[in-house]
Amino acid sequence: MVPYILILINISYLYQILKLGGILTKKRYITLLSIMLLVPIVILTVSIIRYNMKKPITLTLWHNYGGQMKDTMDEMIEEFNGTIGAKKGININVTSISGSQTLHEKLTMAAGGDPGAPELPDISTAYPKTALILAEQELLVDLKELFSDAELSKYIPCFIEEGVLSNDELYVFPTAKSTEILFVNNTIFDRFAKDTGATLDELSTFEGITRISEQYYKWSDDQTPDIIGDGKTFYVPDSLFNLSLIGCRQLGADFIRNNSIDFTNPVTAKVWESIFSPQVQGHYAIFDGYASDLAKTGDIVCSTGSTAGVLFFAPTVTYSDNTTESAELALLPYPVYEGGDKIVIQRGAGMCVTKSSNAKEKAAGIFLKWFTSPNNNLRFVSSTGYLPVTEEAFGDIMLKEIDSISDPNIKKLLQVSRQMQMEYEFYISPVFDKVDQLQADYDSSLKAQATKAKDIYRSLLETKDETSAIHSIIESSLEEFIQNFD
């Protein structure tokens, strides 16, 4: 810049000389001088732009996608940073990958300013229960400010609705959702069906599952005629709470009322009994853990659970005698209680944006739009067991994607998910303080009550038939369950 000033001074001397010679008029001199003064301004502006391009906005991101999902997430973030991010001057930096519960704890600690807690990230995956805590402290951006109404209309309405937590403000943006379906070990079921005539169609209702479970228990017991009463369990739900919640909803009743379980509703008792009775008789498994663990050992044939759980079903079964066999997995729509509506739970976290600067918030919006665009979003979910979040992704794009997928289970998953998206209503689980504790208490109490009643049932079989034995247990067990639960 200093040499440039010297040039201007020399031009001033040159003007005096040229003026005396009649070569340069004053008007032409002013024009030349103006141009020379604009040059450094242009150079400085370009330098600032180049500097800003070299120093993009960096957004920190926390997420809970581990395992195979982490690899896909890493690839997509790298792609964003190298394309749209590079063009827009945005860089996504993943600074934490944790399980859902750990992430919840870290976010609430950071929001509360607990000693040693890290700073809140710019973007984070979160369930509504977590986002609600942050929103109440006014730490989250209303995402409606980052998306137009036209843009929001492209997403599945109930997926958007789940993220609207208070004052009609959108705090959790859908990025990948899940629901529950029925998983069936078709290899074992085919053997059973060959002898009994059972069909997969009978598993479309919970009453059908109950009947098949009883039939399977007796069939498996008959395989060892020298051992009486060693029949095997057929079915287990990953969540007793979710089964009860959705079962009541399918039958037109609310399982939860005033943030507690409504035991006064006869539908609640009906659904409870439909679970409890086959548990006591040994037809349903009583298990602390995920159904995929029991599926690996052949201790169950079918289960209901999250679509994201498809990745955890092993391709083989290892029995107690250490023999193994391949296991073909059938994936079917979520069962419906007879006479009920096709309703299924809506699950999965979304992404929240923390309040910061206007530039960072807009940059976060750009990333969310890119990540959830139909092709990108379907590419992410097609390898993870989650569902896409836009109407378009569930349409022709998904049909094309299904044909290109090599994993047979993921292919089946997308097919059944597309069917359910067209036929089922997705239900949003209630969000309130201590809902997780309520769910945990319900599941543990029901398992404990069923385990206790199972021992009593077996002793009653010494003097009573099966029907009389189970009927003598159910009524008193429900009363005891309610009293203990309260």
Side-chain angles (χ1 to χ4, degrees):
M1 187 63 72
V2 174
Y4 196 85
I5 295 173
L6 294 176
I7 292 173
L8 293 177
I9 294 173
N10 289 334
I11 287 176
S12 179
Y13 283 117
L14 180 62
Y15 164 71
Q16 298 298 330
I17 296 171
L18 294 177
K19 178 181 178 184
L20 292 175
I23 298 174
L24 184 68
T25 65
K26 183 176 181 180
K27 183 176 181 181
R28 288 177 177 176
Y29 167 71
I30 293 173
T31 300
L32 177 62
L33 187 61
S34 298
I35 293 172
M36 294 299 291
L37 288 171
L38 282 173
V39 170
I41 296 174
V42 172
I43 292 174
L44 181 60
T45 302
V46 171
S47 298
I48 292 173
I49 293 173
R50 287 180 176 175
Y51 177 79
N52 286 336
M53 290 179 67
K54 291 179 182 178
K55 293 279 189 178
I57 295 173
T58 296
L59 301 177
T60 54
L61 170 66
W62 292 0
H63 69 76
N64 63 337
Y65 301 120
Q68 182 179 339
M69 297 155 60
K70 176 185 178 300
D71 295 337
T72 306
M73 190 69 171
D74 288 345
E75 291 173 5
M76 295 194 68
I77 290 175
E78 183 179 354
E79 180 180 332
F80 174 82
N81 288 341
T83 55
I84 300 298
K87 183 178 179 181
K88 299 286 188 179
I90 305 169
N91 184 71
I92 304 296
N93 181 27
V94 178
T95 54
S96 178
I97 303 174
S98 308
S100 299
Q101 184 58 36
T102 302
L103 190 59
H104 168 80
E105 293 169 357
K106 289 179 65 175
L107 287 170
T108 52
M109 286 175 62
D114 292 359
E119 289 187 12
L120 281 170
D122 297 302
I123 308 173
S124 179
T125 57
Y127 285 90
K129 63 179 183 181
T130 308
L132 184 61
I133 296 173
L134 274 62
E136 288 174 345
Q137 298 183 49
E138 300 184 351
L139 295 171
L140 298 181
V141 175
D142 178 6
L143 297 169
K144 289 182 180 180
E145 298 175 1
L146 305 179
F147 288 78
S148 67
D149 290 341
E151 288 172 330
L152 290 176
S153 68
K154 298 177 181 179
Y155 295 83
I156 304 295
C158 59
F159 290 173
I160 292 291
E161 181 186 346
E162 186 175 14
V164 179
L165 303 180
S166 61
N167 301 321
D168 199 36
E169 294 180 330
L170 177 61
Y171 291 121
V172 185
F173 198 79
T175 50
K177 288 295 181 180
S178 66
T179 185
E180 291 192 354
I181 59 174
L182 185 72
F183 298 93
V184 184
N185 182 322
N186 215 23
T187 304
I188 299 177
F189 190 86
D190 279 349
R191 277 199 302 271
F192 163 65
K194 185 178 180 180
D195 290 345
T196 63
T199 66
L200 289 176
D201 289 341
E202 295 177 79
L203 305 180
S204 62
T205 67
F206 284 107
E207 289 85 354
I209 290 175
T210 299
R211 290 191 292 269
I212 292 295
S213 296
E214 180 179 3
Q215 193 175 7
Y216 179 77
Y217 180 88
K218 293 178 179 178
W219 173 82
S220 57
D221 187 20
D222 290 342
Q223 304 305 303
T224 53
D226 55 324
I227 304 175
I228 305 301
D230 68 335
K232 293 185 176 181
T233 55
F234 181 80
Y235 166 76
V236 69
D238 262 344
S239 170
L240 297 169
F241 182 87
N242 285 350
L243 174 52
S244 301
L245 179 74
I246 295 302
C248 288
R249 192 68 180 179
Q250 289 179 349
L251 294 171
D254 289 325
F255 181 62
I256 301 295
R257 187 166 62 94
N258 297 328
N259 296 348
S260 62
I261 297 173
D262 184 11
F263 287 110
T264 64
N265 194 318
V267 175
T268 300
K270 176 182 178 179
V271 171
W272 183 91
E273 182 182 331
S274 74
I275 301 168
F276 180 78
S277 179
Q279 282 182 324
V280 171
Q281 297 175 87
H283 307 161
Y284 287 8
I286 305 171
F287 183 64
D288 288 321
Y290 289 105
S292 55
D293 293 332
L294 290 180
K296 293 173 184 176
T297 55
D299 288 314
I300 56 152
V301 179
C302 77
S303 62
T304 46
S306 171
T307 52
V310 69
L311 300 176
F312 299 96
F313 280 85
T316 59
V317 171
T318 302
Y319 295 99
S320 58
D321 60 0
N322 287 326
T323 59
T324 63
E325 71 173 347
S326 298
E328 179 192 1
L329 192 64
L331 279 67
L332 304 175
Y334 191 78
V336 178
Y337 277 89
E338 291 178 358
D341 297 321
K342 289 186 175 182
I343 298 175
V344 67
I345 199 165
Q346 174 179 310
R347 300 175 54 163
M351 288 192 180
C352 302
V353 176
T354 306
K355 286 184 177 180
S356 54
S357 66
N358 187 54
K360 277 194 168 187
E361 291 171 7
K362 287 185 176 179
I366 291 171
F367 171 71
L368 291 178
K369 291 174 187 179
W370 179 87
F371 189 73
T372 58
S373 61
N375 284 302
N376 288 336
N377 193 222
L378 190 56
R379 178 156 56 97
F380 175 64
V381 302
S382 64
S383 63
T384 61
Y386 282 85
L387 308 181
V389 295
T390 63
E391 300 278 8
E392 186 179 352
F394 265 109
D396 293 338
I397 295 178
M398 180 180 280
L399 287 176
K400 294 176 182 177
E401 183 71 19
I402 288 173
D403 292 335
S404 65
I405 291 174
S406 58
D407 187 324
N409 288 340
I410 294 294
K411 181 175 289 190
K412 295 172 190 174
L413 174 66
L414 292 181
Q415 289 170 335
V416 73
S417 297
R418 189 170 187 271
Q419 177 185 347
M420 289 174 60
Q421 195 275 329
M422 293 186 291
E423 298 177 2
Y424 281 63
E425 173 190 337
F426 288 105
Y427 177 70
I428 301 171
S429 183
V431 178
F432 54 88
D433 189 28
K434 296 183 179 180
V435 65
D436 288 344
Q437 189 61 52
L438 180 67
Q439 177 171 349
D441 290 345
Y442 181 81
D443 281 11
S444 61
S445 297
L446 182 47
K447 290 173 187 176
Q449 186 76 23
T451 300
K452 176 183 175 182
K454 190 174 183 178
D455 292 335
I456 299 173
Y457 171 75
R458 286 178 174 174
S459 64
L460 288 175
L461 289 178
E462 297 177 3
T463 58
K464 295 184 177 183
D465 60 66
E466 294 175 357
T467 302
S468 299
I470 191 64
H471 283 170
S472 65
I473 289 175
I474 288 177
E475 185 174 351
S476 60
S477 293
L478 177 57
E479 292 176 358
E480 183 180 345
F481 178 80
I482 295 172
Q483 292 174 359
N484 292 339
F485 194 79
D486 290 340

